[in-house]
Amino acid sequence: MRQLPLDIATEPARSFESFVPGQNTHAVAHLRQVTQQTAPVFLWGASGVGKTHLLQATANHVQQQGGRVAWFDATQPLPWHIEDTVHVVVLDNCDLLDEARQHAAFALFIEATTLGIPVLGAARLPPVDLPVRDDLRTRLGWGHVFAVQALSEPEARAALRREADRRGLFLSDEVMDYLLTHFARDLKHLMTLLDRLDEFALVHKRAITVPLLKQMLTEEGP
């Protein structure tokens, strides 16, 4: 019996609305219309720029419209198979696929293409540089390819501010400056720090300040 991939259950926050597009507005606009096409879409960029967020936002968007999404990545158990009731196939972390999963991904691509189902892929490298078999590399790159750009400092600041407001947290300009000058400016890292800082402030029943942030880093590590 072949194992069927479960429909992905993504976090509600992983939506197009919660994604700060920056220079990625064209990619976001394209992904919003992904079920209206059959050509594959590939996202590439450094870790933390939002590739998986965009994939999950697309999955949530499709599911909210009543569609089904089959999600596969480098950790997904084999065998891989899709049903003809699936509307979108996702292949995340394509640069980490081992030999067996590369073979499975290629077969999946052929199956999806035959059924007219669009495939969304993502990796840290563009398709041409992926360390995968040639036939899979070619298929991942023959559709629409978007380089996901990191946020600028003002955009990262706006994203942090919006998330803090959503949580009901007050982040002073001093705290924001410290976060943006002492740590990587990718949102994945910054949001993880904000999660930790929120919890640390609650435990110690103190307002979020730079001294509190430094205390957290001293006690828990960076």
Side-chain angles (χ1 to χ4, degrees), residues 178 183 193 196 212-222:
Y178 193 93
F183 302 98
L193 277 172
R196 293 175 56 197
L212 183 73
L213 173 57
K214 291 181 177 179
Q215 180 185 341
M216 181 191 78
L217 296 172
T218 299
E219 294 183 8
E220 299 183 356

Side-chain angles (χ1 to χ4, degrees), residues 6-222:
L6 299 176
D7 285 357
I8 180 170
T10 57
E11 303 173 33
R14 295 299 176 94
S15 65
F16 292 124
E17 289 70 29
S18 66
F19 182 77
V20 180
Q23 300 178 59
N24 303 303
T25 53
H26 186 47
V28 172
H30 190 85
L31 290 171
R32 283 181 177 274
Q33 307 297 324
V34 71
T35 56
Q36 299 177 21
Q37 60 187 359
T38 57
V41 181
F42 195 86
L43 308 176
W44 70 275
S47 177
V49 296
K51 301 183 300 296
T52 298
H53 185 130
L54 282 174
L55 293 180
Q56 292 183 348
T58 305
N60 275 330
H61 183 66
V62 171
Q63 290 177 330
Q64 287 166 5
Q65 295 179 327
R68 293 186 63 210
V69 178
W71 186 288
F72 304 88
D73 60 32
T75 64
Q76 185 79 21
L78 296 171
W80 291 358
H81 174 67
I82 57 174
E83 295 179 321
D84 57 8
T85 55
V86 166
H87 295 79
V88 173
V89 173
V90 175
L91 292 170
D92 198 9
N93 297 315
C94 292
D95 49 325
L96 302 180
L97 298 175
D98 59 21
E99 184 176 353
R101 285 170 176 78
Q102 290 176 38
H103 178 79
F106 176 74
L108 199 70
F109 212 110
I110 297 300
E111 187 176 7
T113 301
T114 301
L115 294 171
I117 301 170
V119 177
L120 310 185
R124 289 172 295 180
L125 301 170
V128 67
D129 294 328
L130 286 176
V132 299
R133 48 190 283 178
D134 290 341
D135 49 10
L136 177 60
R137 184 187 304 114
T138 300
R139 280 162 176 78
L140 288 171
W142 72 258
H144 303 275
V145 178
F146 297 96
V148 182
Q149 304 294 327
L151 296 179
S152 66
E153 191 274 337
E155 290 164 345
R157 183 182 294 270
L160 267 177
R161 180 75 69 196
R162 187 170 70 177
E163 179 61 17
D165 289 345
R166 187 185 70 83
R167 296 166 179 251
L169 301 177
F170 173 71
L171 288 186
S172 67
D173 289 339
E174 184 182 17
V175 172
M176 296 278 282
D177 290 342
Y178 193 93
L179 288 170
L180 293 171
T181 56
H182 288 76
F183 302 98
R185 208 165 57 219
D186 67 81
L187 280 187
K188 183 177 180 181
H189 188 194
L190 289 173
M191 292 305 174
T192 298
L193 277 172
L194 188 60
D195 284 338
R196 293 175 56 197
L197 190 54
D198 186 8
E199 182 178 355
F200 195 81
L202 284 173
V203 169
H204 290 77
K205 299 180 180 179
R206 290 168 56 190
I208 295 176
T209 61
V210 171
L212 183 73
L213 173 57
K214 291 181 177 179
Q215 180 185 341
M216 181 191 78
L217 296 172
T218 299
E219 294 183 8
E220 299 183 356

